[in-house]
Amino acid sequence: SDITSDHWMHRWLPPAAVPYALLGRWDRPIGTWLLLWPCLWSIGLSAGPGHLPDVRLCALFTLGAFMMRGAGCTINDIWDRDFDRQVERTRHRPLASGALNVKQALAFLSAQLSVSLGVLVQLPPAAIATGLVSTPLWALYPLAKRFTDWPQAVLGIAINWGVLLGSVAVHGQPDWQMVLPLYLASFAWTLHYDTIYAHQ
C-alpha cells in the first residue's frame, strides 16, 4: 500500500479528518511542490530587475497550489476508485477502502475548489480568466491514462499552467519571451519525472 499508519496526520488530526487528508495527499507534499514551483519561477522571473518577487502573490499561489493539488487527487480517486480496489498499492486509499464515499469526496472537492476560487479572485481579471481556462485540464487529466499512451504529456500541460498564470498575475498579460521557454522546459521536466514515477 502507498499509505502508512505512522504519519503525523494520524497523530495530530482528529480520526474523522484523516481520510480526507489522505484523499488530498497531505502526507505527500511533493505533488504540491511540483505544482507550485513553475508558478514561483514565473512570478520570480516576472519581477523587475533588482526587485524581489511579490510576496503576496507567492503566498496566494502557495495556498492555491496546495488546494488544487488536493482537488486533483480527489478527482483522480473518484474516477479511479474501482480500479484502485484491485491494486495492492492503492487499495487502502479512502474511496477504494470505503473509509469515504463518493458523496463525501465530492463535498471535500467542493470545499477545496471553493478555497481555490477564493484565491483566484484575488488576482487581476486577466489572471482569473487564465486560471478558469485551465479547468478542463485538471478535471480530465485523470482520464488521460485510459485513452492515451502519453498521460505524462497531458499532466505536463496541466501542472505547468502556473507558468502562464504567474506571468499574467504580474503583468496583466503573458510575457511570451519568458513564458514560452519556461513552459516548454517545465513540460519536458514533467515528462521526465512522471515517466520515472510510472516505472517505479
Side-chain angles (χ1 to χ4, degrees), residues 24 28-43 58 60-73 112-113 116 134 137-138 141 154-166 182-183 186 189-190 193:
R28 293 188 207 150
I30 184 58
T32 299
W33 285 116
L34 293 174
L35 181 58
L36 178 61
W37 279 328
C39 303
L40 297 183
W41 294 336
S42 181
I43 294 170
C58 291
L60 287 172
F61 273 72
T62 298
L63 177 58
F66 178 77
M67 287 295 162
M68 285 306 299
R69 189 278 177 120
C73 291
Q112 293 173 100
L113 292 178
S116 299
S134 70
L137 295 174
W138 56 259
Y141 159 68
V154 181
L155 177 64
I157 295 170
I159 202 169
N160 295 301
W161 197 258
V163 171
L164 180 60
L165 185 58
L182 180 58
Y183 192 89
S186 299
W189 176 59
T190 301
Y193 70 65

Side-chain angles (χ1 to χ4, degrees), residues 3-11:
I3 293 177
T4 60
S5 58
D6 60 348
H7 197 269
W8 66 265
M9 296 185 307
H10 296 274
R11 295 191 298 270

Side-chain angles (χ1 to χ4, degrees), residues 23 44 55 76 90 129-130 143 172 189:
L23 187 60
V55 174
N76 181 80
T90 58
T130 302
L143 296 178
W189 176 59

Side-chain angles (χ1 to χ4, degrees), residues 97-165:
S97 68
L100 294 175
N101 58 43
V102 173
K103 184 177 180 180
Q104 291 171 313
L106 288 172
F108 184 52
L109 174 62
S110 297
Q112 293 173 100
L113 292 178
S114 295
V115 175
S116 299
L117 181 60
V119 170
L120 187 62
V121 298
Q122 304 302 311
L123 304 179
I128 295 173
T130 302
L132 292 176
V133 166
S134 70
T135 300
L137 295 174
W138 56 259
L140 297 178
Y141 159 68
L143 296 178
K145 54 184 172 288
R146 303 185 191 183
F147 302 108
T148 175
D149 292 332
W150 286 92
Q152 300 97 324
V154 181
L155 177 64
I157 295 170
I159 202 169
N160 295 301
W161 197 258
V163 171
L164 180 60
L165 185 58

